[in-house]
Amino acid sequence: TASGLTVSSIGMGTYLGECEDAEDERYATVLAAGIGSGINLLDTAINYRCQRSEKAVGSALRKALHSGAAAREEIVVSTKGGYIPLVGTPPATPDAYRSYLKTEYFEPGIMSPAEVVGGHCLKPLFLTDQVNRSRANIGVDCIDIFYLHNPEQQLKMLSRAQFLDAVRSAFATLESLVSDGAIGCYGCATWDGFRVFPAHKNYLSLAELLGIAAEVGGKDHHFRVVQLPINLAMTEGLRSPMQHDGATNLPLVEMANDCGVSVVASASLMQSQLTRGLPPAVEATYPGLETDAQRAIAFVRSLPIASALVGMRLIEHLEENLRSAPAPALAPTILS
């Protein structure tokens, strides 16, 4: 359903890695083991590794369901759409890429060249196409959480008014997809949109996004989750008062909690940069943990968020990361 989802305080990400069969197998194996260990949030995106990461999530999910490690309703699958995804491996030449766009998207009428903004698109037909491709890749009828992927990318070329019109159309499409049962809820997964101040061109206002969601979906709209990097080195969403709630300025995490929007932290290890060399004060703060990776994950898990995403491609990484959580603790309900 579109509500009542409960997620593990650690989620599994699938961003990094080569576009090769061996990497697919590594991901599928570790994801399935993670499900067996109590992790129930699997996060991916259609453009990750040329759609291979979504397929690896699907393989792991089938393995877990077949073995009885979990039931489908116990697993929360999230993916993202916005960037134009490749298939299998990157095209060998620019001409091959242009040919791919033409045959895959332009000629079928899914989008036009004018609707592409820096390799990114938020047009309704494209988003509907991406949701359907993602459902097929993962092998599910319903994607539990679907994010617009880095929508601030569009602000590099569009005016603020044009961007908000694009978001309005996108949210209306996603509300329709919720009604159709293709997705459970939606949100925005960002890189810098929620970590910069309003004067920055890429700034995203949570209040503005919620207003648009209410405009197209009513008071019971399905904009429920935001995702942004939060870690020991990237604390803007936690500490910087960049969001305005009509009365005061608040950090993104605080405002989201006030508004009933769940927050998922990405880049908990800052793409492995926080796995070694942390200051001694961090080690002193977490005396029961053995590695910097565990300490960095424990920091994010301690925050008022729903889940901390960590990319895991090896069983050893899974086992190490789980030791930052003495038990497979479940966060509060992610969607109310």
Side-chain angles (χ1 to χ4, degrees):
T1 64
S3 61
L5 300 178
T6 301
V7 295
S8 48
S9 59
I10 297 175
M12 302 185 76
T14 59
Y15 172 55
L16 297 177
E18 300 299 322
C19 297
E20 60 183 26
D21 293 346
E23 195 79 273
D24 299 344
E25 183 57 34
R26 280 191 288 271
Y27 262 125
T29 298
V30 176
L31 289 166
I35 293 172
S37 299
I39 294 176
N40 79 329
L41 177 60
L42 310 181
D43 182 84
T44 188
I46 193 169
N47 67 308
Y48 289 175
R49 301 175 51 253
C50 299
Q51 302 187 52
R52 287 174 174 263
S53 285
E54 283 194 333
K55 292 176 180 178
V57 167
S59 176
L61 183 59
R62 288 189 296 275
K63 186 181 298 185
L65 298 184
H66 180 73
S67 70
R72 172 64 186 95
E73 59 270 18
E74 295 173 320
I75 306 298
V76 178
V77 176
S78 63
T79 192
K80 314 172 189 76
Y83 289 105
I84 300 169
L86 304 175
V87 179
T89 56
T93 66
D95 282 345
Y97 177 62
R98 285 188 286 269
S99 176
Y100 165 74
L101 291 179
K102 180 180 178 181
T103 58
E104 196 77 9
Y105 291 103
F106 298 155
E107 289 181 345
I110 295 169
M111 65 181 179
S112 68
E115 293 173 330
V116 179
V117 179
H120 197 273
C121 184
L122 293 178
K123 292 299 180 179
L125 284 178
F126 176 74
L127 290 177
T128 300
D129 172 83
Q130 297 298 280
V131 167
N132 289 333
R133 290 180 193 234
S134 292
R135 291 164 64 209
N137 285 343
I138 302 169
V140 293
D141 293 328
C142 179
I143 295 164
D144 300 301
I145 304 170
F146 183 82
Y147 297 103
L148 295 186
H149 197 179
N150 293 354
E152 65 267 32
Q153 173 86 10
Q154 302 253 327
L155 284 165
K156 294 180 179 179
M157 297 180 66
L158 300 183
S159 69
R160 178 71 54 172
Q162 289 172 322
F163 170 73
L164 294 178
D165 283 342
V167 169
R168 187 171 291 105
S169 295
F171 281 10
T173 300
L174 297 178
E175 288 287 347
S176 177
L177 288 166
V178 171
S179 297
D180 293 343
I183 63 176
C185 66
Y186 63 93
C188 291
T190 71
W191 185 253
D192 59 5
F194 289 132
R195 298 190 302 111
V196 296
F197 282 97
H200 195 286
K201 186 171 180 62
N202 285 5
Y203 174 75
L204 294 177
S205 163
L206 180 59
E208 213 163 38
L209 295 174
L210 286 169
I212 293 172
E215 179 184 333
V216 302
K219 63 181 180 63
D220 295 324
H221 63 80
H222 295 85
F223 183 98
R224 304 283 178 80
V225 195
V226 293
Q227 185 183 127
L228 71 157
I230 304 176
N231 55 55
L232 282 166
M234 303 168 77
T235 60
E236 301 92 339
L238 183 69
R239 301 175 59 185
S240 301
M242 299 173 177
Q243 298 292 320
H244 189 68
D245 68 352
T248 187
N249 295 322
L250 299 170
L252 183 280
V253 170
E254 183 176 350
M255 183 172 172
N257 286 334
D258 288 348
C259 295
V261 173
S262 295
V263 178
V264 172
S266 61
S268 297
L269 295 178
M270 207 165 76
Q271 297 175 6
S272 298
Q273 294 182 60
L274 299 176
T275 59
R276 62 188 67 85
L278 294 181
V282 177
E283 181 176 353
T285 302
Y286 301 100
L289 299 179
E290 303 166 351
T291 67
D292 280 346
Q294 292 171 1
R295 297 175 190 114
I297 294 169
F299 166 76
V300 182
R301 288 183 60 245
S302 72
L303 304 176
I305 63 168
S307 191
L309 296 177
V310 185
M312 306 184 208
R313 296 149 63 196
L314 297 173
I315 292 292
E316 305 91 90
H317 292 164
L318 170 65
E319 293 172 347
E320 177 186 356
N321 295 339
L322 285 175
R323 287 197 290 273
S324 72
L330 294 181
T333 301
I334 185 173
L335 306 174
S336 57

